[in-house]
Amino acid sequence: MTIGNKIMTLRRENNFSQEILAEKLGVSRQAVSKWESEQCLPDIDKIVKLSELFSVPTDYILKEDYELKISSQSNNVNNNQSVDEALSSQIEREITESIKGTNSKIINDPIIISTILVIAGLLLYVSFYFSFKMIVPCAIALLIQVIGIGLFYNYQNTVKNEKQKEKNKKKFYKINVWFFTPSILSLLYIPVTYIIPRPVSSGKSMILITILYLAVSIITTIHFRDDNR
């Protein structure tokens, strides 16, 4: 590629008109036109300015054989960019598929949904209990937990494999007994305190409830533990 062709190519690649390039170099448009048509060659100081303007070595403009080196380097850069882009795209796809798979598993697993409802009901129950200490709001929160348990049993009715049913039951109760028992015990505690005078202080009563909660939860967890024998 001749000097004139290289100047024209660089100018077009950078979306410069002859007028814009001439203005940047401090020459007339006719001078640029003559360089590109090879009626004359630019002075060495203009060659340097062209090199700086287009970020290319002066050898690229002056030497025809330098074009091959630039082309080779450009291809290597493009190849490296293609590899990087491919890797980035693959990683992005894997992350997206992983997130979709996790979301799909949560949505399609009734045991997980049931557990979420039981936990949500407990959180609401605790909030209502310490805010109102009334049976009705707490019963509403407890109802959410019952819905979660009902959803689990409804799912169990669709399972035909008895071994899978037993496995699901163990998995469900080992986890949810820790979230459901507090609501039951504290809900029973509220009417008892209205009917029966407290024989002990409220602090001691809470300690007794806590001990009962731990006992029920631990015994249930042990009962439904996996039996690999």
Side-chain angles (χ1 to χ4, degrees), residues 163-175:
K163 289 185 178 180
Q164 185 62 44
K165 272 189 176 183
E166 186 64 22
K167 183 179 179 181
N168 291 343
K169 185 170 71 172
K170 288 180 178 181
K171 178 181 177 182
F172 182 78
Y173 278 106
K174 280 194 305 183
I175 297 172

Side-chain angles (χ1 to χ4, degrees), residues 54-113:
F54 296 125
S55 300
V56 296
T58 53
D59 286 348
Y60 171 68
I61 299 174
L62 294 171
K63 298 180 181 179
E64 293 186 9
D65 59 346
Y66 202 90
E67 178 185 355
L68 297 176
K69 296 179 182 179
I70 293 295
S71 177
S72 176
Q73 291 174 359
S74 177
N75 288 335
N76 289 336
V77 170
N78 289 334
N79 289 336
N80 290 334
Q81 289 177 341
S82 298
V83 171
D84 291 340
E85 290 174 358
L87 288 174
S88 299
S89 178
Q90 181 179 355
I91 292 172
E92 184 177 351
R93 284 198 304 272
E94 290 177 355
I95 293 174
T96 302
E97 290 173 1
S98 176
I99 293 173
K100 287 182 179 179
T102 302
N103 291 338
S104 177
K105 181 178 179 181
I106 292 174
I107 293 172
N108 295 325
D109 191 338
I111 296 178
I112 294 178
I113 296 176

Side-chain angles (χ1 to χ4, degrees), residues 13-227:
E13 287 178 351
N14 288 271
N15 296 319
F16 288 170
S17 64
Q18 288 185 340
E19 290 84 356
I20 293 175
L21 180 58
E23 182 180 350
K24 290 182 178 293
L25 297 175
V27 297
S28 63
R29 185 195 65 79
Q30 289 78 7
V32 174
S33 177
K34 289 180 180 179
W35 295 344
E36 293 180 354
S37 61
E38 298 184 356
Q39 296 180 29
C40 65
L41 296 177
D43 297 334
I44 190 63
D45 63 316
K46 303 304 180 187
I47 296 290
V48 173
K49 286 186 177 181
L50 285 167
S51 170
E52 294 173 350
L53 179 62
F54 296 125
S55 300
V56 296
T58 53
D59 286 348
Y60 171 68
I61 299 174
L62 294 171
K63 298 180 181 179
E64 293 186 9
D65 59 346
Y66 202 90
E67 178 185 355
L68 297 176
K69 296 179 182 179
I70 293 295
S71 177
S72 176
Q73 291 174 359
S74 177
N75 288 335
N76 289 336
V77 170
N78 289 334
N79 289 336
N80 290 334
Q81 289 177 341
S82 298
V83 171
D84 291 340
E85 290 174 358
L87 288 174
S88 299
S89 178
Q90 181 179 355
I91 292 172
E92 184 177 351
R93 284 198 304 272
E94 290 177 355
I95 293 174
T96 302
E97 290 173 1
S98 176
I99 293 173
K100 287 182 179 179
T102 302
N103 291 338
S104 177
K105 181 178 179 181
I106 292 174
I107 293 172
N108 295 325
D109 191 338
I111 296 178
I112 294 178
I113 296 176
S114 299
T115 302
I116 290 173
L117 286 174
V118 172
I119 295 174
L122 175 62
L123 294 175
L124 285 173
Y125 183 91
V126 171
S127 177
F128 290 155
Y129 180 81
F130 286 103
S131 299
F132 305 105
K133 290 190 177 180
M134 296 175 62
I135 293 179
V136 174
C138 294
I140 293 173
L142 183 62
L143 179 62
I144 295 175
Q145 292 187 306
V146 172
I147 292 172
I149 296 173
L151 180 63
F152 167 73
Y153 275 103
N154 183 65
Y155 165 69
Q156 282 285 81
N157 291 333
T158 65
V159 178
K160 304 301 181 182
N161 190 313
E162 292 299 325
K163 289 185 178 180
Q164 185 62 44
K165 272 189 176 183
E166 186 64 22
K167 183 179 179 181
N168 291 343
K169 185 170 71 172
K170 288 180 178 181
K171 178 181 177 182
F172 182 78
Y173 278 106
K174 280 194 305 183
I175 297 172
N176 287 279
V177 66
W178 294 92
F179 302 114
F180 188 70
T181 306
S183 306
I184 295 293
L185 293 177
S186 55
L187 187 63
L188 293 175
Y189 176 75
I190 295 174
V192 168
T193 57
Y194 283 103
I195 298 172
I196 303 174
R198 298 181 184 177
V200 293
S201 64
S202 59
K204 291 181 180 180
S205 298
M206 292 306 297
I207 292 174
L208 290 174
I209 291 176
T210 302
I211 293 173
L212 183 59
Y213 158 67
L214 292 174
V216 171
S217 300
I218 292 172
I219 291 172
T220 305
T221 302
I222 293 174
H223 177 73
F224 287 107
R225 73 184 186 280
D226 291 330
D227 189 358

